[in-house]
Amino acid sequence: MTGVERIELWIGALLTLMVYSFLYRDNPFYKFAEHFFVGITAAYAMVLAFWNTLMPNCFGQIAPSLVGHVLPTAAENPANPVRWIPLLFGLLLLARLVAPLAYLSRWAMALVIGYAAGANFTRYLQSDFMGQVRSSMVPLLVRDAGGIAYGSSLSNLVLVAGLISALAYFFFSKEHTGMFGRASRFGIWTLMVAFGAAFGYTVMARVSLLIGRFQHLGRWLGDIF
Amino acid sequence: MKRQIPLIITFSVGALLVLAMFIPHDPFAAANDELSVWFDIIASFAFILGGGNLLRIHGDKIYRRRRDWPYSIVTLGGFLLMLGAGLWSGAVSRGNAMAPGSLFQALYVAAYAPMMSTMYSLLAFFVASASYRAFRAKTREATVLLLAAFVILVGRTPVGYHLTSWIPQPFEFLEIPNLFGWILAYPNTAGQRAIMIGIALGIISTSLRLILGIERSHLGGD
């Protein structure tokens, strides 16, 4: 293990213990780690946005020769003056920090909201609405070489009936009584299975992270003793 | 004018993107691609705005000696350290801040990644108490949730396999690993699909309201 790796191991282990100290109760060690985490997370996002987006797609396109010293790939392309527009809108967003000009940040927000609305309208219409409905059009009577495949037919029936009844549960324009109420009840059961699966997966993911942290602490203890 | 110009911008951009779906050719297709880059650039400025806000709020807290102000020094210290390291590492590594061996990458490995996974793994402890409350099976619905979660949790583990490996072959569909696959593929898909369709309908209608200027809450009060 090199010196840098040892320092990384120690810092990681000490910060891990500081965060886990919260399991006892809120304390200065946890608060230290929490505040440190907030600071480095904000800076991490800023750095990635700067080097992965702003430099190649904005500054590198506006002034390739100027940026070319730190980003050689930018110097290969001709200047693209159109990118002044998002730069201007980006600067307008920062106007929020100056009270008298704060209203100008709405222009940038309007562009962002307009893009998100337009992009999401088409994306969700195609994939999450039409795509999901199309995928649910499955045969309720499945046949194979030996005749009717009862298992597959039942499974498809559960899929279609479960989906329709779960949608019925979300339909509030009609009172959930009678046949509609029973369908809605079955919808709740379907949703409960989905929530149970989601819960199980979440627990597995978190426990997997926990095991990872314990392995890190194990390596740290191994370095000490 | 404070409200009209933003409404015009939102309508123009939103309508252009919707048109680009129905006319997937230039100039609409090119405009779609260009707007996607613009969105990323403006979103990057949002991160800078976030950093600026962090500096302002914690700087003010330190200046006024508000409660727990020493922790604000930690926040700003971490922020400036990571920011300085990232800008420096990117400048010396020709734009690749995460270059192996760079200071930014070292800080990522030593502090950011461990704390990120530790924060998320904390939930494993709280899930234990949540599980107790959820798994008491007081109602039929809670029992269904309990059974589904149990099958998913043990379905991919050796325990799940050994628990039901004695089941005779004609009834092998009742073995936990098989139930695991069936629950995920059918009832779980049905439930998730219903939620996805509901969310999609909500997003589609909200997007339309935004593009047409019916929904204006994002523009603020005055």
Side-chain angles (χ1 to χ4, degrees), chain A:
Chain A
M1 191 185 289
T2 64
V4 174
E5 284 171 347
R6 180 163 284 126
I7 292 169
E8 287 173 357
L9 180 72
W10 274 75
I11 293 174
L14 292 176
L15 288 171
T16 300
L17 289 175
M18 282 180 178
V19 174
Y20 280 148
S21 68
F22 183 72
L23 291 170
Y24 171 59
R25 66 178 189 193
D26 200 8
N27 63 76
F29 293 108
Y30 174 75
K31 276 188 175 157
F32 178 92
E34 185 190 29
H35 282 77
F36 187 62
F37 183 56
V38 169
I40 63 168
T41 303
Y44 177 74
M46 265 179 80
V47 168
L48 289 194
F50 182 77
W51 286 114
N52 295 346
T53 305
L54 283 183
M55 282 299 269
N57 295 335
C58 185
F59 302 130
Q61 303 262 328
I62 291 169
S65 55
L66 207 67
V67 175
H69 299 295
V70 276
L71 210 64
T73 47
E76 294 165 8
N77 303 317
N80 181 5
V82 174
R83 295 290 161 86
W84 277 101
I85 302 171
L87 175 64
L88 179 71
F89 274 97
L91 291 173
L92 288 180
L93 194 66
L94 300 183
R96 190 168 279 259
L97 294 169
V98 187
L101 300 174
Y103 76 95
L104 288 173
S105 70
R106 287 176 182 174
W107 294 15
M109 279 303 292
L111 197 148
V112 170
I113 298 274
Y115 177 84
N120 285 335
F121 176 82
T122 54
R123 189 180 304 150
Y124 279 88
L125 188 62
Q126 283 180 324
S127 62
D128 279 41
F129 183 68
M130 289 169 72
Q132 296 300 326
V133 171
R134 195 178 296 123
S135 302
S136 304
M137 301 292 178
V138 290
L140 296 181
L141 192 68
V142 182
R143 294 181 71 92
D144 57 14
I148 296 172
Y150 290 103
S152 299
S153 301
L154 181 70
S155 297
N156 284 356
L157 184 66
V158 168
L159 178 70
V160 174
L163 173 61
I164 292 171
S165 55
L167 285 172
Y169 172 69
F170 288 127
F171 189 74
F172 300 111
S173 300
K174 182 174 164 39
E175 201 178 345
H176 290 192
T177 51
M179 191 61 197
F180 190 74
R182 280 193 287 276
S184 156
R185 196 91 186 139
F186 183 65
I188 295 175
W189 285 35
T190 310
L191 288 168
M192 282 298 159
V193 173
F195 293 148
F199 183 83
Y201 264 122
T202 306
V203 172
M204 281 202 290
R206 306 303 164 151
V207 170
S208 155
L209 282 171
L210 186 67
I211 292 167
R213 298 321 305 148
F214 281 165
Q215 283 174 339
H216 186 104
L217 289 175
R219 282 199 303 277
W220 174 64
L221 287 173
D223 189 54
I224 296 175
F225 302 108

Side-chain angles (χ1 to χ4, degrees), chain B residues 163-221:
Chain B
L163 268 178
T164 50
S165 58
W166 53 269
I167 292 178
Q169 216 254 332
F171 300 102
E172 66 179 358
F173 64 91
L174 289 175
E175 287 179 12
I176 286 182
N178 294 334
L179 279 178
F180 170 89
W182 187 82
I183 285 176
L184 275 190
Y186 296 100
N188 171 59
T189 303
Q192 297 286 1
R193 213 165 254 176
I195 294 168
M196 281 170 80
I197 289 172
I199 291 173
L201 286 172
I203 288 177
I204 291 164
S205 60
T206 306
S207 297
L208 264 182
R209 286 170 60 85
L210 283 165
I211 293 170
L212 298 176
I214 301 165
E215 175 66 55
R216 301 176 180 198
S217 55
H218 63 285
L219 296 177

Side-chain angles (χ1 to χ4, degrees), chain B residues 10 38 65 102 136 147 166 194 197 212:
Chain B
T10 303
W38 289 17
R65 297 282 193 275
S102 66
R136 274 184 295 183
L147 288 174
W166 53 269
I197 289 172
L212 298 176

